[in-house]
Structures are given as structure tokens and as C-alpha cells.
Amino acid sequence: MAKPGTGAAAEPDAGAPAIEVRDLHKSFGTLEVLAGVDFTVARGEVVCVIGPSGSGKSTLLRCVNRLEEPTSGTVLVAGAEVTDPDVDIDKVRRGIGMVFQSFNLFPHLTALQNLTLPQRRVLGRDKAEATRVARERLARVGLTDKESSYPAQLSGGQQQRVAIARALAMDPQLMLFDEPTSALDPELVGDVLAVMRSLADEGMTMLVVTHEMSFAKEVADRVVFMDGGVIVEEGSPAHVIGAPSHARTRSFLSRLLDPAAARIGPSGD
């Protein structure tokens, strides 16, 4: 009998958590980036992952939809085992939207075309339906008037909102965000976070790697702090950000929230 996650058994399970990660390891050569990660994201939950650079946050996110191949461990998305070598990974990915640090828009296509192309190629929608959905999603992110603009004619914040709209046009059940505001000028961050906040308000399941502590405090149901490839601490924003238990979490947050207070010394990062 095929194990769960293989062949036809890779169908989404309505009763399963959105994400399950079990004893996940990932190494690049001799460097172990993920050193045994376990966590679950419930449907409709917003989980923000925070931590210093090199802590494994983005690698974890990329392992969820197998853009990175885990060294060992198990990842399930809606009950389908992503790490099963026999899984139809393209089918699983259709239910996952991902937004990267860089916008990854096609520069030779308009905003509207950037949204219609993947719908037609991946979902098989005809031109009229893909255009209708694309316009709805562009309106959803406040860019109705930019459908004919090319990426070079848009600000960074507008390009990132087009990237979010493109992901939403595929009707995902789960959204992954990999530091979506890190490449933006500070004055452009708010518009992107506002779109993400509205998605959370509507019940979208979201796993967000971010340094935006105000967003995490206001929007996240749970915050996960990673360091050294492991989860050091997790809990409510009030606990992890407001009153962290671990010294490493406190050190990270103090440097992030008040960088001018950092001191050079043996214990510095």
C-alpha cells in the first residue's frame, strides 16, 4: 500500500494542518542550516518567523514548497507529504503562493500580463477568465490603474504588490512570504504590509519571514524565533516579542529595535 502523500493520496486533506514540519534538517555541504525543526501551522493561522541573518528562516520557508530539497525530515502541506519523492509537487504547489524578497516579475510584460500568464499556463484558464481574475487581484492590492504598466515603470512597493496579486491570482490556500519588504525603501513598506494585514484579516493562512516587528506584533497569531538552524522560542507576539524567555531572543530584539544601543565586543553577532 502506498504511504500517505504518494500518488493519488497526495490530495489535500481538509482536516490536516496547513503545514507540518517534522525533524527537518538541511545542509549545504558541511554547513547545517536547519538542525532539526518541528512546528505546525494551523489553517487560518498567521505565523511570523524572526531571527538573525543565517538562522535558517528563508531555507525553512523554501523547504515547505521544496524549492530547497531537505536533507532529512518530513514536510506536509494540507496533509500531502511534500518530501515524498513520489509526490506530484507541481500539484501541491498550486495551492501555495510565494512572495520573495525580489519581485521576480517578467520585465517585458505589463502588470496585467504578469498575472494572466501563470493562470493560463498552470491553471489552464482562458484569456477572458484569466484577465477577469487578474483585474480583481490588482484591485485587491490597490493597483487597478497600473495594469498596463511595466515593472520598470512601478515603484518597488508597487512591484511587490503586483507580485502578491500574481500569487493571489492562482487562488492559493497558503501564502509564504520571504522578507517581502526587505528590498523596499522605508516609505514604501506600509502599503505592502497593509495588503498582507488585510489578507490575514480575511483568514488567509500565512507563514511570514520578516524583520517587521510591528507587523508581527499586530498581525501574527504566533511568532517563531530561530537561531542557529533551530527554533529557540515560539509563542504569542506578547510573549516572544513583548516578554521573551530566552536571552538570545532578548539580545536579538534589543539589537533590532534599538540598533544604536549595540556594542562591539566578544559577545557581539
Side-chain angles (χ1 to χ4, degrees), residues 149-206:
S149 298
Y150 291 89
Q153 299 171 315
L154 302 172
S155 71
Q158 290 169 335
Q159 290 184 62
Q160 192 62 291
R161 283 188 281 156
V162 171
I164 294 172
R166 178 180 57 187
L168 294 175
M170 305 299 285
D171 297 328
Q173 303 302 307
L174 163 67
M175 288 287 289
L176 308 177
F177 292 88
D178 187 5
E179 299 196 42
T181 61
S182 64
L184 303 180
D185 292 334
E187 68 269 22
L188 302 177
V189 169
D191 290 339
V192 173
L193 293 181
V195 170
M196 295 171 62
R197 186 177 290 108
S198 66
L199 290 175
D201 290 342
E202 293 169 5
M204 175 65 74
T205 307
M206 298 164 59

Side-chain angles (χ1 to χ4, degrees), residues 17-36:
I19 302 171
E20 293 179 85
V21 175
R22 303 171 184 166
D23 194 27
L24 187 66
H25 291 254
K26 174 62 181 178
S27 296
F28 295 98
T30 59
L31 177 64
E32 189 174 39
V33 179
L34 297 176

Side-chain angles (χ1 to χ4, degrees), residues 29-54:
T30 59
L31 177 64
E32 189 174 39
V33 179
L34 297 176
V37 174
D38 295 90
F39 80 106
T40 300
V41 178
R43 292 173 186 265
E45 189 177 24
V46 178
V47 176
C48 286
V49 184
I50 64 173
S53 297

